[in-house]
């Protein structure tokens, strides 16, 4: 089966339930997804962008993504998140099973992750995207983090340096 899905100026909060995702994400989605092959093991190519993004209470200007999928593994050419002059990019491979709740179709298939997160043009203001315990962040960062291994035992390694950093924590007592 071959299919192309094109979206223009669609509120992302209308799309995430269709993918069975319950995430605190808002923004405007534009993109194209091409799907080819057998229903039980399709190949896909995606080019997408989100603008005026809010995730977990933190705002971003844009997120751009280029990726392909084969054998239930997503090859992330690049995901780039931008806010003001700051950028974070991610590239590598991640199994579809990392994103779906009912992974019976993809369970046991290529479940190793191999991603590189590049923080060389980032800022600590991104930390609230990943932790509800941090209310804000400031300070330039540099470095890279590699996330590797099976979904059940991910390992992160790398070096990140921070210049004049500050992270106010939400009530953690």
């Amino acid at each position: 089966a071959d299919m192309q899905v094109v979206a223009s100026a669609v509120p992302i909060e209308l799309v995430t339930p269709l993918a069975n995702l319950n995430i605190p994400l808002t923004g405007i989605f534009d993109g194209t997804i091409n799907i080819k092959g057998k229903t039980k093991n399709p190949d896909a190519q995606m080019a997408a962008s989100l603008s005026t993004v809010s995730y977990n209470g933190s705002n971003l200007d844009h997120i751009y993504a280029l990726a392909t999928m084969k054998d239930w593994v997503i090859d992330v050419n690049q995901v780039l998140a931008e806010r003001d002059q700051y950028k974070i990019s991610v590239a590598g491979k991640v199994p579809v099973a990392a994103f779906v709740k009912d992974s019976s179709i993809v369970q046991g298939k290529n479940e190793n992750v191999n991603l590189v997160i590049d923080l060389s043009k980032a800022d600590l203001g991104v930390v609230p995207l990943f932790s509800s315990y941090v209310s804000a962040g400031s300070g330039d960062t540099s470095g890279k983090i590699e996330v590797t291994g099976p979904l059940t035992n991910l390992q992160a390694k790398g070096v990140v340096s921070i210049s004049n950093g500050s992270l106010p924590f939400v009530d953690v007592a």
Side-chain angles (χ1 to χ4, degrees):
D2 294 350
M3 177 172 60
Q4 182 178 61
V5 179
V6 178
S8 178
V10 176
I12 192 67
E13 53 271 28
L14 298 177
V15 177
T16 52
L18 298 175
N20 202 21
L21 298 172
N22 183 20
I23 53 177
L25 179 67
T26 62
I28 303 300
F29 175 77
D30 294 286
T32 302
I33 302 171
N34 293 307
I35 303 170
K36 294 183 180 234
K38 299 184 183 226
T39 306
K40 292 193 177 200
N41 192 13
D43 292 345
Q45 298 84 37
M46 178 190 75
S49 68
L50 276 171
S51 56
T52 58
V53 182
S54 177
Y55 175 76
N56 207 23
S58 294
N59 297 324
L60 295 168
D61 298 328
H62 295 96
I63 298 175
Y64 302 100
L66 292 171
T68 59
M69 183 189 77
K70 185 173 178 80
D71 295 327
W72 298 108
V73 175
I74 299 169
D75 186 355
V76 179
N77 298 3
Q78 183 177 43
V79 172
L80 178 67
E82 298 178 325
R83 186 177 73 197
D84 300 324
Q85 75 270 25
Y86 301 107
K87 299 174 184 175
I88 294 178
S89 66
V90 178
K93 296 185 183 295
V94 63
V96 171
F99 301 102
V100 295
K101 291 180 183 175
D102 179 12
S103 61
S104 60
I105 295 174
V106 296
Q107 190 170 19
K109 297 180 181 171
N110 300 310
E111 292 189 10
N112 284 329
V113 172
N114 187 4
L115 292 173
V116 175
I117 302 167
D118 186 346
L119 301 168
S120 60
K121 296 180 181 175
D123 175 88
L124 283 179
V126 302
V127 174
L129 292 172
F130 306 107
S131 174
S132 59
Y133 296 111
V134 177
S135 62
S138 64
D140 293 342
T141 65
S142 64
K144 292 183 180 181
I145 300 171
E146 293 180 26
V147 180
T148 60
L151 291 173
T152 56
N153 189 26
L154 290 175
Q155 302 289 314
K157 62 181 176 182
V159 175
V160 177
S161 59
I162 301 164
S163 176
N164 298 318
S166 166
L167 288 174
F169 289 89
V170 176
D171 183 24
V172 291

